Amino acid sequence: MDLSRFSLEGKNALVTGGSRGIGRAIALAFADAGANVAISGRKLPDLEPVAEELKKKGVQSLAVASHVAKLEESKALVEKVKGEWGRIDVLVNNAGTNPYYGPMLEAEEWAWDVTMNVNLKGPFLLSRLVARLMKEQGGGSIINTASIAGIVASELGIYSVTKAGLIMLTRVLAKEWGQYKIRVNAIAPGVIKTRLSEALWKEPAKEKLAAKSKALGYIGVPEDVAGTALFLASDASSYITGEVILVDGGEFVGPALDYGK
Ligand SMILES: NC(=O)c1ccc[n+]([C@@H]2O[C@H](COP(=O)([O-])OP(=O)(O)OC[C@H]3O[C@@H](n4cnc5c(N)ncnc54)[C@H](OP(=O)(O)O)[C@@H]3O)[C@@H](O)[C@H]2O)c1
């Protein structure tokens, strides 16, 4: 096999939520594979050190402050990247939020609005802006960071609903945009150690419980997700679209079997 198909040499990528966690790990992996990488998030001071790390890998990088649910800011983000590099080959809709942990019965309307806007409306708006450019260019790859919570009903309530929506958005856009050679896929991570998921693993007892629920027996780290994103971004996955890849350490298949040995 021609292993250069796994390379991102000569490509330009945009990763939302690139300042930390899974987005940062994906951005660094893309740079290792040769791509120029633009990262966005709401706070420029958090993005700038990551942009420096990216540059040290010998590629170009951009740090752009942009709220993913605000259309005008997403327009400015796409214009900035297009203005600097002319094209966007890979978009990773990775920024996400979960401001409310608790029962649906108690959830307030603001929590629904914020979570829907950031996790679902944001990727919809940004994907359309970038897809218009990708269509002109002759194609591209869009990757959505969904969640196992979008597949299996979980205690994460509204967040789960947004991620299920993101999975269907992935399929709908893949179906519509395949004709423009734009592939759209999703990654569905299980619990990964980041700030967003602290409530699920910060207490040792909770970490033990979460680890035990997976066939591999441990909680993942952001780098565990990056390889799948790299594969979906690269030409090595050229015949895959509308797919959802679980990256969950075997959370979906469940705990390791114990025969009492
Ligand atoms: N960690 C897990 O267990 C897990 C599991 C499944 C799926 N995921 C998904 O993975 C993605 C990344 O999460 P993570 O765990 O890496 O979380 P994280 O470490 O908290 O990082 C979240 C990133 O998103 C950015 N962000 C948040 N709200 C934003 C907004 N309104 N506009 C633009 N950027 C925004 C943050 O930067 P600012 O705060 O500066 O904006 C940050 O860069 C999310 O979509 C999450 O739902 C995570």
Side-chain angles (χ1 to χ4, degrees):
M1 178 176 182
D2 176 5
L3 292 182
S4 70
R5 286 169 65 79
F6 286 91
S7 166
L8 298 186
E9 210 72 50
K11 293 191 196 277
N12 303 319
L14 168 58
V15 181
T16 69
S19 60
R20 59 175 190 264
I22 294 170
R24 174 177 167 274
I26 290 174
L28 290 169
F30 283 6
D32 282 330
N36 298 322
V37 188
I39 50 171
S40 70
R42 288 165 302 174
K43 298 173 208 102
L44 196 57
D46 290 353
L47 293 163
E48 279 168 341
V50 181
E52 284 309 308
E53 277 185 272
L54 293 165
K55 274 191 196 123
K56 285 196 187 124
K57 293 181 181 288
V59 299
Q60 294 178 50
S61 71
L62 286 172
V64 186
S66 177
H67 190 304
V68 80
K70 296 187 179 165
L71 180 58
E72 290 311 313
E73 293 190 20
S74 286
K75 277 185 185 164
L77 168 64
V78 174
E79 281 309 310
K80 173 79 184 162
V81 182
K82 187 182 168 191
E84 293 285 333
W85 297 335
R87 55 186 287 140
I88 300 174
D89 303 285
V90 181
L91 166 66
V92 185
N93 285 305
N94 167 80
T97 192
N98 188 17
Y100 170 74
Y101 281 86
M104 288 295 252
L105 269 178
E106 316 296 333
E108 291 178 29
E109 191 180 351
W110 68 263
W112 178 272
D113 290 343
V114 169
T115 320
M116 281 288 170
N117 284 345
V118 174
N119 294 2
L120 192 51
K121 186 176 90 172
F124 168 60
L125 295 176
L126 190 58
S127 294
R128 289 201 309 181
L129 292 169
V130 173
R132 288 179 189 130
L133 185 59
M134 287 177 167
K135 188 179 162 194
E136 276 172 32
Q137 292 165 193
S141 172
I142 297 177
I143 301 159
N144 296 322
T145 310
S147 170
I148 190 172
I151 297 170
V152 180
S154 80
E155 76 282 14
L156 298 177
I158 297 166
Y159 176 87
S160 279
V161 178
T162 66
K163 294 299 185 178
L166 188 58
I167 286 170
M168 187 49 75
L169 182 71
T170 302
R171 294 183 177 135
V172 168
L173 297 184
K175 195 171 170 72
E176 185 175 312
W177 296 347
Q179 62 190 310
Y180 310 128
K181 296 194 167 50
I182 301 171
R183 298 185 296 110
V184 189
N185 293 291
I187 299 174
V191 184
I192 304 293
K193 279 191 178 175
T194 67
R195 195 188 297 178
L196 181 107
S197 62
E198 273 179 359
L200 304 175
W201 57 265
K202 212 157 186 205
E203 284 172 31
K206 281 196 177 168
E207 171 163 10
K208 215 173 155 192
L209 202 70
K212 234 186 141 183
S213 71
K214 296 156 189 41
L216 290 182
Y218 66 92
I219 298 179
V221 292
E223 291 68 27
D224 286 320
V225 182
T228 305
L230 176 54
F231 169 63
L232 289 174
S234 76
D235 295 341
S237 62
S238 57
Y239 204 52
I240 299 181
T241 197
E243 182 59 84
V244 183
I245 301 183
L246 275 161
V247 181
D248 68 343
E251 191 172 325
F252 185 77
V253 294
L257 288 176
D258 179 359
Y259 293 106
K261 283 180 197 157

